[in-house]
Amino acid sequence: MEVSSVPTENELFSAVDALLEEVAQDDLPSPEERKRLREAAGLSQEQIAKALKSRRETIGNWESGVTEPRPPKRAAYARLLEGLAARFPAPAADAPTAPAPAVPEAFTGPAPAPVTVPPSRPKTAASSTTRPAASSRRPGAKKAAAKKTTSAATADPRFENGPLAVIDCEDGQVSAYCVGGLVLDVPAKSIPALVDWTLTEAKLGQARLHRNGRDADPILVLTASALERYGLPATLSQEEQRAGRLAAGHKVIKQIEKAGLQLTQRGFGPWARIYRDPEGSKRRCVQMCILPWNALDAREWDKKDDPQLPTMHPADLARYLGLYAARVTTPRGSTATTGLELMTALRPPTRAEKDPDTGEFKRAFNDDALTAVYDVVECEVPDEHPILKGKFARHHLRTPAEMLMEEPYDWCRPLTDEECANPYLVVVDLNMSFAAAANGLTVGLNGPTHLTGNPQFDPALPGSWLVDLSHVDLSRVQVGGRTIDGDRLPSPFTPKGEKPEGPAWYATPTVAYAVELGFDVAPIEAYVRTQTGRYLDPWYKRLRDAYVETMADMGVTTDLTGSEFLEAMARRKQVDPTMALLETAIKATAKGAIGKLRQRSRGQVPYYEPYPALNRETWRPDIRAAVLANQRISLHRKLMKTAAAADLYPVAIGTDAIVYPSPDPSPLDVLPHTPDGKPAPGTFRLGVSPGMVKHQGTQTVLWAEQQFEEHGGVFNIANLIKTDQTAGEGE
């Protein structure tokens, strides 16, 4: 007879623990709530991954719902989320709203979770020709929406219909196409009525990205049929195009004025803001995006050689712009303008601070933000800046000793006889190189301090340094114990790749690189910033996540092998054309925002006269210079590692496109690998993440020689070699 043994206490406890872990399988919040809790706590995906002994990509997959955590990490993850939920409860959707304090909206409240756009199937032939069913409800009523992926706990009831709507008219019925397939009937018969309907009934907008920021205004995208319905011209006249706005005497402008609404100084142009005076701390503003007036420039938002937006169905357009708003931010104009606004939204300059004596709120400045317009430095500003008036002759070309010339590479050299024996030239292109260069970069947050009398170089101080680097000799430099031929590489200190000839102004990352290479530096003078911070980190992370998520939607994920990655990149635009447009817009946002930090005059004022951009706290040419210097230095560092690993040297570089001679047409045949097949450490690596590379194109060496002959010498061929004509665009 078999006798059953009595279980020990430890065995019983283990069995109970196993049961508890099974219960935890269904005890996790929704993916959107997981992300909200992490962001509310100010934690990064990397921090959670480190704590759970996992990878950042895995945490991202848990937050997007792509995969679910498995034991034993699931129980630990559930414990973390439970603790965060106790400290950061979700805002109650039905709770009564307390009276708002009499302070600007930008200073109040915690940051609700961003609105998440439900995934939509790729556009089919049927969806491009079939209009969604018309509403059977009374005008102003909301149609039944498709099932949303966001939980009720994370959705903001103020903006339950999403950040924007595309306004279209068919058979006399005006409809508002929102995210997630939602369509609203619009009762408004005039532009003022449309604005008031948006402010009172539409429930459009987007929650702030930072607790000290402000909610985004609702966006109305007007199609050609909507313009006709509301009495607006299909196109602006030549005079109106020059002015950038509708003529002041137009009947719609008069309607706006008569209704007591106001326009900003930009007037009623492609991007118009119409508002009423705030109610306490609540803004009452609507932004209009006039599609037929080229509000969405094809070079940034569309395919410039084959524009899709003018004929895109309103529902598809709402999906496209809604995804951009959910992953980046609500559009504010050009992608460059939106990218700059994103910086401010993630690092608000002010916050509300309660006066202990009076109990009233007052404005306080945040230490990690750009909070004021500071004095500028002569060497950092463009030629037309007012500070340079009377300093140089009108057409004087400033020298490196007079001007900070931190720009990306534009370099090309002749091929050697050995390189000409290769039949191909393969071009690899860095993903979002400017955004990647901003990651982890320390920049100045306050005004400049002038250092004179041969100051000691300090790599911790961002700014501009006048220093002579002409003594730096990289012709036979040691990298990883190997000597490389530095003459076949561009100089890291000049955009043209030429060796410096004397004292010149450099940003801190460039001078720090000279020190890293083992050379002495002796600055003559400097302009530095003593209040420092990693201002661009949250901006980079949001754009990185938006880009990686969008590429994943097209089948390009972070876990692909080299050949799988190349195949996925080649077919991605056929997987979902809308996501391909979103990819372009995200890349243009990253590039354009960095350029906006040193926005030049657009000819709106005479030379040397102040222009509007100079009044922005975010007009910071020193930060732009630091990013571009870091991009070029990071690129040169990889060039050195690649040369040391495989005796491989580039023949041309255009911004972030690098041309290598190759025996075969694929980058798999040219990029160096270790014996076990992994990318050589520190070299270029194929992949989707910012800073990794993709294949831009391949040409023959014979073609390059023909180009040199036609142009009478060596010129930069890097950006002419494109298998995909949109590759590298907007980087």
Side-chain angles (χ1 to χ4, degrees):
M1 180 175 176
E2 187 177 6
V3 180
S4 60
S5 60
V6 177
T8 65
E9 185 179 57
N10 286 339
E11 289 173 337
L12 291 173
F13 274 40
S14 297
V16 170
D17 288 342
L19 284 176
L20 288 175
E21 195 154 289
E22 286 185 22
V23 173
Q25 301 297 307
D26 298 316
D27 197 32
L28 289 179
S30 67
E32 295 79 15
E33 176 68 359
R34 301 168 197 174
K35 182 177 181 181
R36 185 195 73 80
L37 290 170
R38 176 180 58 77
E39 291 178 341
L43 297 173
S44 67
Q45 291 179 343
E46 289 88 344
Q47 288 174 295
I48 294 180
K50 184 177 180 181
L52 297 179
K53 302 297 188 291
S54 188
R55 299 170 61 243
R56 185 195 66 78
E57 291 81 4
T58 302
I59 306 301
N61 288 338
W62 294 351
E63 292 184 354
S64 62
V66 174
T67 60
E68 287 293 313
R70 301 176 64 183
K73 294 180 181 179
R74 186 180 182 97
Y77 188 47
R79 181 181 178 87
L80 170 66
L81 295 176
E82 182 181 0
L84 294 179
R87 297 184 60 184
F88 305 99
D94 299 322
T97 305
V103 293
E105 181 184 288
F107 305 150
T108 60
V115 175
T116 304
V117 181
S120 178
R121 287 175 296 180
K123 174 180 167 185
T124 64
S127 69
S128 64
T129 58
T130 304
R131 190 180 184 84
S135 173
S136 60
R137 302 191 64 180
R138 300 291 297 171
K142 182 174 68 175
K143 294 183 179 179
K147 183 179 179 181
K148 296 185 178 182
T149 58
T150 52
S151 66
T154 59
D156 192 319
R158 298 172 301 160
F159 312 126
E160 67 178 36
N161 294 333
L164 52 86
V166 178
I167 307 300
D168 191 59
C169 181
E170 184 174 307
D171 299 329
Q173 173 62 52
V174 181
S175 301
Y177 291 83
C178 307
V179 298
L182 178 68
V183 184
L184 306 177
D185 285 340
V186 181
K189 300 185 183 304
S190 66
I191 289 295
L194 179 62
V195 171
D196 286 336
W197 171 82
T198 305
L199 293 173
T200 57
E201 298 183 44
K203 293 189 176 181
L204 296 173
Q206 189 175 32
R208 65 199 73 180
L209 299 178
H210 188 284
R211 64 181 309 234
N212 293 324
R214 73 180 186 201
D215 299 328
D217 298 326
I219 304 287
L220 299 181
V221 183
L222 272 58
T223 64
S225 63
L227 294 188
E228 182 180 1
R229 174 66 180 80
Y230 289 116
L232 290 164
T235 58
L236 297 176
S237 66
Q238 289 186 353
E239 184 177 344
E240 289 171 335
Q241 288 179 12
R242 285 193 294 269
R245 67 189 72 187
L246 200 63
H250 194 277
K251 64 178 182 179
V252 171
I253 304 296
K254 294 180 179 179
Q255 290 174 359
I256 291 172
E257 294 171 347
K258 186 176 180 180
L261 292 162
Q262 302 176 62
L263 288 163
T264 61
Q265 292 183 352
R266 296 177 64 180
F268 200 108
W271 287 89
R273 287 186 183 271
I274 309 176
Y275 65 97
R276 293 192 183 279
D277 290 333
E279 286 184 345
S281 65
K282 183 180 178 182
R283 286 167 59 90
R284 295 191 295 170
C285 181
V286 175
Q287 187 164 350
M288 293 195 175
C289 167
I290 314 298
L291 191 61
W293 295 359
N294 198 36
L296 300 175
D297 194 313
R299 294 169 297 180
E300 305 170 344
W301 298 99
D302 205 349
K303 295 171 65 176
K304 67 179 181 180
D305 298 324
D306 183 21
Q308 306 294 304
L309 299 187
T311 58
M312 184 179 284
H313 191 280
D316 293 327
L317 184 57
R319 178 195 176 220
Y320 167 36
L321 296 178
L323 281 168
Y324 180 90
R327 294 179 181 180
V328 182
T329 188
T330 302
R332 313 289 174 85
S334 67
T335 52
T337 297
T338 304
L340 199 67
E341 291 284 341
L342 179 62
M343 291 182 190
T344 305
L346 294 169
R347 295 282 201 195
T350 58
R351 68 181 186 277
E353 191 172 80
K354 199 169 186 178
D355 190 314
D357 297 327
T358 64
E360 295 183 355
F361 286 101
K362 61 181 181 179
R363 185 173 70 168
F365 292 103
N366 292 321
D367 293 335
D368 61 355
L370 302 176
T371 59
V373 178
Y374 294 103
D375 292 338
V376 297
V377 177
E378 284 187 19
C379 69
E380 295 175 349
V381 301
D383 293 336
E384 69 273 17
H385 196 280
I387 198 175
L388 298 179
K389 188 174 183 179
K391 300 290 179 67
F392 303 103
R394 176 65 173 81
H395 298 290
H396 172 74
L397 295 178
R398 288 191 285 166
T399 66
E402 298 167 336
M403 180 182 184
L404 180 66
M405 295 183 179
E406 295 287 15
E407 301 291 341
Y409 273 128
D410 179 12
W411 169 82
C412 187
R413 65 170 175 81
L415 279 71
T416 65
D417 292 341
E418 182 182 356
E419 290 167 342
C420 286
N422 290 285
Y424 297 104
L425 294 176
V426 174
V427 184
V428 292
D429 177 80
L430 285 164
N431 299 322
M432 297 184 69
S433 64
F434 296 141
N439 182 31
L441 179 66
T442 299
V443 300
L445 301 178
N446 62 345
T449 298
H450 191 193
L451 305 180
T452 57
N454 302 108
Q456 183 74 25
F457 174 68
D458 186 348
L461 290 179
S464 303
W465 304 79
L466 182 63
V467 58
D468 188 350
L469 298 180
S470 60
H471 65 286
V472 176
D473 184 8
L474 299 178
S475 59
R476 306 297 293 174
V477 66
Q478 289 280 330
V479 178
R482 295 189 60 179
T483 302
I484 66 171
D485 183 2
D487 290 336
R488 294 164 68 185
L489 294 175
S491 167
F493 308 122
T494 63
K496 292 293 184 181
E498 301 165 346
K499 187 177 179 180
E501 296 181 350
W505 286 101
Y506 301 101
T508 298
T510 304
V511 185
Y513 188 53
V515 175
E516 176 187 325
L517 293 173
F519 295 92
D520 294 329
V521 297
I524 301 168
E525 61 175 314
Y527 290 91
V528 298
R529 278 78 181 174
T530 54
Q531 181 185 343
T532 65
R534 291 165 59 164
Y535 174 75
L536 296 172
D537 272 11
W539 176 83
Y540 160 75
K541 290 175 182 176
R542 187 160 180 88
L543 288 173
R544 175 203 62 196
D545 292 347
Y547 178 72
V548 172
E549 185 176 359
T550 300
M551 297 300 285
D553 287 340
M554 294 185 285
V556 187
T557 57
T558 57
D559 57 351
L560 300 179
T561 63
S563 58
E564 292 172 340
F565 171 74
L566 294 177
E567 292 170 3
M569 286 294 292
R571 64 173 181 265
R572 74 188 191 284
K573 296 187 178 181
Q574 286 70 47
V575 172
D576 191 336
T578 300
M579 288 296 173
L581 295 182
L582 186 58
E583 175 197 350
T584 298
I586 293 171
K587 292 190 294 187
T589 302
K591 178 182 178 181
I594 298 300
K596 274 275 188 179
L597 293 170
R598 196 198 70 158
Q599 181 175 326
R600 304 194 65 171
S601 173
R602 297 173 178 171
Q604 63 265 58
V605 297
Y607 219 72
Y608 297 130
E609 293 298 319
Y611 51 94
L614 303 183
N615 297 322
R616 293 194 322 250
E617 292 88 347
T618 50
W619 195 85
R620 290 295 299 268
D622 58 301
I623 296 180
R624 172 189 177 272
V627 172
L628 268 57
N630 202 40
Q631 186 265 357
R632 196 183 64 249
I633 293 307
S634 298
L635 176 54
H636 189 271
R637 191 179 286 113
K638 289 187 177 181
L639 295 175
M640 300 257 283
K641 295 279 189 179
T642 302
D647 196 31
L648 185 64
Y649 296 87
V651 297
I653 304 174
T655 305
D656 48 20
I658 307 102
V659 184
Y660 279 114
S662 172
D664 294 291
S666 171
L668 295 173
D669 303 314
V670 65
L671 296 180
H673 289 77
T674 60
D676 58 355
K678 296 181 179 180
T683 65
F684 299 106
R685 179 178 179 181
L686 286 170
V688 69
S689 299
M692 299 174 76
V693 299
K694 57 181 177 292
H695 184 208
Q696 176 170 295
T698 298
Q699 264 291 359
T700 64
V701 170
L702 179 59
W703 170 88
E705 294 296 340
Q706 290 173 342
Q707 296 297 316
F708 294 155
E709 290 181 11
E710 289 178 10
H711 291 81
V714 175
F715 85 113
N716 201 341
I717 57 174
N719 291 320
L720 297 180
I721 305 176
K722 292 183 180 180
T723 302
D724 176 0
Q725 289 303 309
T726 62
E729 200 170 276
E731 295 287 9

